[in-house]
């Protein structure tokens, strides 16, 4: 409990500092000020992994302090009683929106949503209407059919509901900011693709309208809208680019020779990526050991996040080194396993014996032309 209180205190401090910078920049663009921002979301699917009403009320207080009392604040949670009970505040303090899988029957979910909003203040809203799904490494690319998606949207709008397209337009995550999920437990790790492939509708809008308007998202919106909707913009010109020849500029092991010794972190046991001041990329672990002839030796560890590659360097009859590169393949960004440390998180065994005296070097891969800059410290 002490850890949880300390962690919450740190979280609140960081949220207050971030919102103190962000929200004043948003305030001039609120709807009441003539801007395009109609609502402001204070939490997303919090009921899937938390249940702290004091925390939610604090977010409301901070948002009101910077944005005033007139802006509509809202939360989004999965369309179940458990997630709504945990993730929102009953009444009219905040508006409780829901999300659910595309194709689910929206009627019982919107009926449940009303229980968590003030009477007469619960317009049905699917705050994440998935036009596709993210894809994990090793899976086939998700490709939700146009007919299926349009029919699901039609059911929502037929109930006088609203939906936020997720995603409306696409892009990519940069570097290692791709994210990940888990299955049954934290060991069922599922890293996302770097690219945000979610069947982006803004990009595919023209393609979709070539089909029967009955099945296009635009056709569905037009049929349920009393106002006229804008015409479809002309298709932008597509260009073909020639082949790009990649050239090898550096070997991963060559980087070791360029590292300033002052950037090496030394510890009796391996430490996490976060403890050396790094959030993404690779972390290099090295430990010396005494070779025992030509026989095979077995190395293992119980817990590493997320993928470790073990190499033997400078082998000889007397000694050797065992560098290990551990890659952060994407941080878990949903569910009960958000505390997702990276690196070697348990002792490393060589033939049943624990390896000691480790050196750690951060390889963030932010810019290979930059000199690695890490504050050295011993642990």
């Amino acid at each position: 409990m002490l850890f949880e209180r300390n962690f919450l205190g740190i979280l609140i401090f960081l949220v207050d500092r971030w919102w103190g910078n962000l929200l004043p920049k948003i305030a001039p663009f609120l709807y009441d000020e003539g801007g395009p921002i109609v609502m402001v979301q204070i939490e997303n699917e919090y009921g899937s992994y938390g249940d702290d009403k004091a925390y939610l009320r604090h977010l409301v207080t901070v948002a009101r302090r910077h944005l005033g009392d007139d802006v509509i604040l809202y939360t989004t949670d999965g369309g179940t009683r458990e997630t709504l009970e945990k993730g929102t505040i009953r009444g009219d303090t905040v508006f409780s929106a829901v999300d659910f899988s595309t194709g689910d029957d929206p009627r019982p979910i919107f009926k449940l949503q009303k229980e968590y909003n003030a009477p007469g203040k619960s317009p049905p809203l699917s705050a994440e209407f998935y036009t596709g799904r993210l894809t994990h490494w090793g899976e086939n690319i998700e490709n939700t059919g146009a007919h299926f998606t349009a029919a699901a949207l039609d059911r929502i709008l037929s109930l006088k509901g609203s939906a936020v397209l997720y995603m409306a337009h696409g892009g990519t995550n940069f570097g290692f900011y791709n994210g990940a999920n888990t299955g049954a437990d934290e060991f069922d790790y599922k890293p996302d693709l770097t690219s945000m492939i979610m069947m982006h509708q803004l990009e595919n809008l023209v393609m979709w309208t070539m089909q029967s308007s009955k099945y296009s998202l635009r056709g569905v919106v037009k049929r349920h809208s009393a106002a006229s909707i804008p015409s479809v913009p002309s298709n932008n010109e597509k260009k073909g680019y020639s082949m790009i020849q990649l050239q090898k500029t550096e070997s991963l092991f060559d980087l070791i020779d360029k590292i300033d010794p002052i950037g090496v972190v030394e510890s009796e046991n391996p430490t996490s990526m976060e403890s050396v001041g790094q959030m993404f990329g690779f972390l290099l672990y090295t430990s010396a050991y005494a070779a025992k002839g030509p026989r095979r030796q077995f190395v293992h560890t119980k817990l590493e996040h997320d993928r470790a590659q073990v190499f033997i360097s400078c082998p000889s009859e007397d000694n050797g080194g065992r560098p290990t590169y551990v890659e952060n393949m994407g941080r878990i960004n949903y569910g009960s396993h958000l505390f997702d440390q990276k690196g070697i998180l348990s002792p490393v065994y060589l033939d049943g014996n624990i390896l000691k005296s480790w050196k750690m070097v951060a390889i963030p891969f932010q810019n290979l032309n930059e000199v690695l800059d890490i504050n050295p410290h011993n642990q």
Side-chain angles (χ1 to χ4, degrees), residues 83-313:
T83 53
L84 283 166
E85 193 68 41
K86 293 180 178 179
T88 191
I89 304 173
R90 287 178 178 266
D92 58 2
T93 302
V94 295
F95 170 63
S96 300
V98 292
D99 58 17
F100 46 89
S101 298
T102 302
D104 286 355
D105 184 0
R107 291 179 182 272
I109 299 174
F110 287 151
K111 181 180 179 180
L112 180 63
Q113 178 194 1
K114 285 186 177 182
E115 296 184 24
Y116 294 87
N117 288 307
K121 295 183 178 181
S122 187
L125 173 61
S126 172
E128 287 185 13
F129 178 79
Y130 280 88
T131 58
R133 285 296 298 175
L134 54 84
T135 303
H136 302 115
W137 284 106
E139 298 176 349
N140 294 326
I141 298 294
E142 290 282 353
N143 190 359
T144 305
H147 295 193
F148 176 82
T149 305
L153 179 63
D154 185 67
R155 286 194 291 273
I156 292 175
L157 300 187
S158 296
L159 299 173
K160 306 300 181 184
S162 301
V164 179
L165 299 184
Y166 190 83
M167 306 285 291
H169 64 86
T172 187
N173 302 114
F174 295 98
F176 294 89
Y177 288 76
N178 55 298
N181 294 295
T182 56
D185 53 46
E186 63 177 311
F187 299 104
D188 187 12
Y189 176 74
K190 299 179 179 181
D192 302 332
L193 295 181
T194 297
S195 180
M196 288 286 288
I197 301 174
M198 299 284 282
M199 281 300 291
H200 314 300
Q201 301 316 312
L202 195 61
E203 180 68 20
N204 297 324
L205 186 59
V206 174
M207 179 186 72
W208 278 38
T209 52
M210 292 178 183
Q211 305 178 44
S212 168
S213 61
K214 177 181 178 182
Y215 295 112
S216 72
L217 292 183
R218 184 177 185 275
V220 171
V221 173
K222 182 177 181 180
R223 187 164 63 252
H224 288 278
S225 176
S228 60
I229 62 176
S231 59
V232 177
S234 58
N235 194 6
N236 60 325
E237 181 182 355
K238 302 295 190 297
K239 294 183 179 180
Y241 296 92
S242 59
M243 296 291 293
I244 299 176
Q245 184 65 41
L246 300 180
Q247 295 181 345
K248 178 180 178 180
T249 59
E250 197 79 74
S251 166
L252 192 59
F253 292 106
D254 290 340
L255 292 174
I256 301 177
D257 298 329
K258 296 184 177 181
I259 293 172
D260 190 328
I262 198 173
V264 177
V265 177
E266 298 185 16
S267 176
E268 184 69 7
N269 298 300
T271 60
S272 68
M273 183 177 287
E274 294 79 9
S275 67
V276 300
Q278 183 181 345
M279 297 299 291
F280 299 96
F282 285 71
L283 189 61
L284 170 66
Y285 294 83
T286 62
S287 177
Y289 69 98
K292 297 181 180 179
R295 72 179 182 87
R296 297 179 63 182
Q297 294 179 295
F298 179 68
V299 60
H300 78 281
T301 181
K302 294 182 178 180
L303 188 60
E304 74 282 338
H305 287 181
D306 295 298
R307 178 170 61 182
Q309 301 180 61
V310 181
F311 302 90
I312 299 175
S313 65

